Amino acid sequence: MPSANTKTDLPVKLTKHDLFQANWRWLWGSQICWNYERMMSTGYLFTMLPTLKKLYKNDQDLIEMMKMHNQFFNTNAYVGGFIVGMDMAIEEKQGRKAEDTVAGLKAGLMGPFAGVGDTIVGVILPTIFGSIGAYMGLKGNPTGAILWLLVNFAVLILRFFLLPLGYSQGEKLIYATGDKLNRITDAAILLGVTVVGALIPTVISANVPLVFKTGKVVLKAQTVLDQIMPSLVPVALVALCYWLLGKKRMNSTRLIVLVLILGIALGAFGIIGK
């Protein structure tokens, strides 16, 4: 049943306008005031605030629910609207009684949804379509840029439908899928790793131009490496970069500078070439 207005005891029903308002706020403000203490809590509260004001006419109930929604929350912004929609549906039905349920829902789903969203939207789509678009752009074909724009527009449109979907079907979907969200995340991660691995020999170009001569015998280092494993040097360089990123004092900026310095130095000595 919809939550009751504590002053008039009349049921409060959320409308399409309420869903649109929350959706719009999540799209533009899900990461406002992002911080390392509570991360997306302010954005989540900003999204839910009109709904909370409509559902809770009692000031004390409103304050307590605002405090609850301002607790730590962090997930992928593209798919997080689904959680917001589920939250709205539960609070509409149970009101203040749903406080513990909603808190548990947010804490339990933000991790799995972050894994799915980060992997698919943050890694797989940019890697696949970004590399295709960049490759076509390098060849002078403007279709690559158009493709990249179309993919981003498609993601935005899909994102806009997630919150209403979460409101109407979210609770049913979560109970039906159970632990399958973790399986989806693992499958998406595996696909992303496969795609990245396949892109290494096509995107990264690094050869060893060293040539060893003994009498009439000429031995090219790159030919030997190719016989061992094609694209061995690019794969080794990528593996080295991943290993360095695991070190405490290494970050992406320092790694980029280090790669540039090593590339210039090794290139100058003729050890590494394009």
Side-chain angles (χ1 to χ4, degrees):
M1 296 293 294
S3 62
N5 183 322
T6 55
K7 291 184 178 180
T8 63
D9 292 329
L10 295 176
V12 178
K13 180 67 177 177
L14 298 178
T15 64
K16 291 183 179 180
H17 174 74
D18 297 322
L19 294 177
F20 178 85
Q21 186 178 32
N23 208 357
W24 193 252
R25 281 179 168 240
W26 179 259
L27 288 173
W28 290 102
S30 57
Q31 299 192 77
I32 59 173
C33 301
W34 192 97
N35 60 84
Y36 285 103
E37 181 182 1
R38 298 184 181 181
M39 295 195 175
M40 298 173 70
S41 64
T42 306
Y44 196 99
L45 175 58
F46 173 76
T47 301
M48 287 292 298
L49 192 56
T51 301
L52 297 178
K53 290 181 177 179
K54 185 173 183 177
L55 293 178
Y56 306 105
K57 300 301 182 182
N58 182 285
D59 291 342
Q60 188 60 37
D61 289 343
L62 177 61
I63 291 173
E64 293 301 321
M65 294 304 289
M66 289 175 64
K67 288 181 179 179
M68 186 272 292
H69 282 306
N70 199 34
Q71 295 175 358
F72 177 89
F73 182 81
N74 188 49
T75 191
N76 181 274
Y78 287 91
V79 299
F82 195 93
I83 301 176
V84 178
M86 292 179 60
D87 179 359
M88 295 175 68
I90 294 174
E91 290 194 52
E92 180 190 31
K93 294 178 180 179
Q94 300 181 5
R96 177 73 187 278
K97 296 179 181 178
E99 182 176 355
D100 293 337
T101 302
V102 171
L105 178 81
K106 292 169 60 179
L109 293 183
M110 64 181 181
F113 272 74
V116 173
D118 291 346
T119 304
I120 296 177
V121 183
V123 177
I124 293 179
L125 292 181
T127 300
I128 295 175
F129 292 100
S131 59
I132 293 174
Y135 182 79
M136 296 176 70
L138 290 173
K139 298 296 183 180
N141 189 345
T143 307
I146 297 174
L147 175 64
W148 178 246
L149 290 174
L150 290 176
V151 170
N152 281 274
F153 280 129
V155 170
L156 287 175
I157 293 173
L158 176 63
R159 181 180 178 185
F160 195 79
F161 284 101
L162 283 178
L163 190 147
L165 179 63
Y167 175 79
S168 61
Q169 299 294 330
E171 191 173 2
K172 298 178 183 178
L173 288 174
I174 292 302
Y175 289 134
T177 56
D179 60 350
K180 291 181 181 178
L181 276 177
N182 292 328
R183 298 180 185 177
I184 295 173
T185 302
D186 294 339
I189 291 174
L190 179 59
L191 177 60
V193 172
T194 303
V195 171
V196 172
L199 285 173
I200 291 175
T202 57
V203 176
I204 301 175
S205 177
N207 297 317
V208 179
L210 296 177
V211 178
F212 301 93
K213 295 182 179 180
T214 302
K216 295 182 179 181
V217 177
V218 178
L219 187 62
K220 296 182 179 180
Q222 187 60 49
T223 302
V224 176
L225 293 174
D226 289 339
Q227 291 175 350
I228 297 174
M229 188 181 80
S231 302
L232 177 60
V233 177
V235 171
L237 290 175
V238 172
L240 176 62
C241 290
Y242 271 100
W243 179 76
L244 289 174
L245 284 173
K247 299 300 180 181
K248 291 184 178 180
R249 296 185 179 181
M250 181 60 67
N251 53 42
S252 57
T253 303
R254 293 178 179 177
L255 180 61
I256 291 173
V257 174
L258 179 61
V259 170
L260 288 175
I261 294 175
L262 287 177
I264 294 173
L266 295 175
F269 288 100
I271 299 176
I272 295 290
K274 293 183 178 180

